[in-house]
Amino acid sequence: MQTLRHLSHRAGCLMLGCLLAVACSETEYEYSHHRAFFIFDNSIHLDQCLATAMNPMSPGIFCRISISGTNNYRFENNQGLTGQAVMTAVDQQRTVLLGTYNESGVIVGFGALDNPPTFYAYDAQCSNCYEKEKMPRYQLTMNSSGKATCRQCQRVYDLNNGGIISQGAQGEKLIRYRATTTGPMGILSVNN
């Protein structure tokens, strides 16, 4: 009897361990191993372009964030709006890693497919071309329906759906980072 209980307990622990391993591996795969770090306080900068993408009531609007010059952030959303913010002294003291090699930038926004909407942060370049060449020169172009296209390989990625490929050759989905927002005029945090 003792042996049966012991075997039953071990089998239960083994099953639980397998489930946890699968759950952890799916989460690990969901987010990239590439480093990213960006904190932006939009209550100070009041950038309307970025605010549109940080609003859960406006799913499907995505904003590319990049560094312009030495002390400016540049914002472009998929609806044609652009913005720019001068880095404050606090911004300049923070570590900033916006995409691979800190060159490509990131794309943030709420997806339009989930309720409540999921907040996404992607690298702003084609993950498949980058992996092939290891060079950050494959910046994506966004359209108003939440698709991002690579000019090099012609893959189309769905920003609303975890960055999966919706048209073109098979491959990896977009490089995704962990991200949170406290609202349109709040704090944006992107990190990995």
Side-chain angles (χ1 to χ4, degrees):
M1 195 62 142
Q2 186 83 355
T3 305
L4 277 174
R5 278 193 208 141
H6 180 70
L7 286 175
S8 176
H9 178 70
R10 287 188 71 191
C13 288
L14 183 62
M15 286 179 57
L16 180 61
C18 289
L19 287 173
L20 288 174
V22 169
C24 289
S25 65
E26 287 175 5
T27 300
E28 288 173 14
Y29 180 71
E30 186 175 349
Y31 299 105
S32 173
H33 65 279
H34 294 285
R35 299 288 302 144
F37 188 82
F38 179 64
I39 296 174
F40 188 81
D41 188 347
N42 208 26
S43 70
I44 293 170
H45 295 284
L46 305 174
D47 187 84
Q48 292 301 313
C49 180
L50 180 60
T52 61
M54 292 171 51
N55 187 349
M57 302 306 285
S58 300
I61 297 180
F62 293 90
C63 181
R64 179 191 330 271
I65 305 165
S66 57
I67 296 175
S68 173
T70 56
N71 293 324
N72 295 303
Y73 293 117
R74 177 165 170 71
F75 307 103
E76 313 166 61
N77 77 12
N78 64 331
Q79 306 300 310
L81 188 61
T82 62
Q84 191 163 318
V86 176
M87 293 180 189
T88 65
V90 172
D91 291 332
Q92 291 177 18
Q93 291 175 359
R94 288 186 179 130
T95 299
V96 175
L97 295 172
L98 281 172
T100 54
Y101 293 104
N102 204 23
E103 291 183 23
S104 53
V106 295
I107 297 171
V108 298
F110 283 94
L113 300 180
D114 297 323
N115 190 10
T118 301
F119 190 66
Y120 292 108
Y122 305 105
D123 200 282
Q125 70 173 317
C126 177
S127 54
N128 291 285
C129 290
Y130 169 73
E131 285 301 323
K132 183 178 174 186
E133 302 290 329
K134 298 296 185 206
M135 296 298 293
R137 58 180 170 204
Y138 303 102
Q139 193 172 60
L140 300 166
T141 57
M142 299 181 293
N143 69 20
S144 60
S145 66
K147 305 285 183 177
T149 303
C150 175
R151 292 181 196 150
Q152 179 71 23
C153 69
Q154 302 302 310
R155 285 182 178 93
V156 178
Y157 298 92
D158 189 346
L159 299 173
N160 289 296
N161 195 12
I164 64 170
I165 298 171
S166 61
Q167 288 180 327
Q170 291 184 342
E172 296 295 318
K173 62 184 180 176
L174 288 178
I175 296 169
R176 184 173 169 199
Y177 303 116
R178 289 174 174 83
T180 59
T181 179
T182 59
M185 294 302 168
I187 295 174
L188 168 66
S189 174
V190 178
N191 61 63
N192 253 17

